Amino acid sequence: MHFETKAIHVAQEPDKETGAVVPPIHLSTTFKQDEVGKHKGFEYSRTGNPTRQKLEENIASLENGKFGLAFASGSAATATLQMLLNKGDHVVCGDDVYGGTFRFFDKVMARLGVEYDFIDMSNVSNLEKAVKPNTKMIWLETPTNPLLKITDLKAVADISKQRNIITVVDNTFASPFLQNPLDFGIDIVVHSTTKYISGHSDVVGGIVVLNDDDLHEQLRFLQNAAGAVPSPFDCWLVLRGVKTLALRAERHSDNAEKIVEFLVSQQDKVERVYYPFLDSHPNSDVARRQMKRGGGMVSFEIVGGKDQAFKFLKELKLFHLAESLGGVESLSEYPPTMTHGSYSEQERLERGIRPNLIRLSVGIENVDDLIEDLKNAFSIAFQ
Ligand code: P1T
């Protein structure tokens, strides 16, 4: 079955009892047992819930994985995955990741005795050098947040397989329509479903997808033990949103490509544009190999500094100045103090997050209106 069909049909079949084409939301927190220990597959809603199970099956199929585990947020999924580790374990993590992910690793897990090294994974030879005898996990985003760096997924999987290291890819920026890391030999995929998968900026959620039975068993235990599960209504909202993911991802990419073209043409106002499918991107060949399209995220450096960036952001009318991404509406944001404010200034500069960086989540509006909005903001900011 193709992606578009799976998104609409897998675990979204009409309700057996009533024929309702949209599956119902199971709000019940507990399930009647026929006798002690004998039940119809569900006991207590933290442990398992029919609506959540549908979401887990649906997204697992879209990532070409065997198992899905849904969480209350992308961050809850990230945190639960770190519970696979023990004190003294070492993790190699990409140096450009969502600020909240860095914060959790650096401020919480490091305090509990897990060791992290943050490296540039654009070049996998850096990874080979960073791996140590106690390395248990490799964690990366591709494309990364906010600099849209690209890592060769197959090369990472090859390095980890020789050494028995668990590989985790946060696939939030691509979405399962544009990229399926498990197909390249990656062990675990994680998403913030808050973003492209749900697509309408009205639900916070996370999901983990994998193939390995043992790891699945451990994670199912942790999901229940830590308990950061999503509500049935939130699961249902994600299931509703995902039905249109393929259409949206194509349109996000169409619009982003045109906006990238526009930004590149503004040489007196734009210093540098970051986009995976831009020919000048250092890993555009890798991006084209492992992604269907370039996606809807675009970052750029405006000529001038922080003040110029602030002036420009203030003048945008259609691109709302807001954190998050992946919704139908276009958003703009300032990574240094918004999404990546948990990095120190020095950590940001070391990673290439400069004070004139702006990130756009390109929505699915008419692209001419979006370009008009950018043009107008540039003309006022550069008056
Ligand atoms: O917000 P939450 O659902 O907890 O997801 C966290 C998360 C995980 N991974 C990536 C790549 C992310 O971008 C995020 C959240 N990011 C934003 C809110 C943002 O504006 O970048």
Side-chain angles (χ1 to χ4, degrees), residues 37-48:
K38 210 168 154 207
H39 53 77
K40 297 180 172 65
F42 298 98
E43 295 166 85
Y44 182 59
S45 223
R46 167 165 40 74
T47 319

Side-chain angles (χ1 to χ4, degrees), residues 73-75 98 141 145 170 172-173 192 194-195 204-205 323-325 339 359:
S73 65
S75 303
Y98 168 55
E141 296 176 8
N145 184 359
D170 182 334
T172 299
F173 265 38
S192 165
T194 316
K195 320 298 183 204
V204 171
E323 302 206 11
S324 203
L325 58 119
T339 51
R359 192 190 76 181

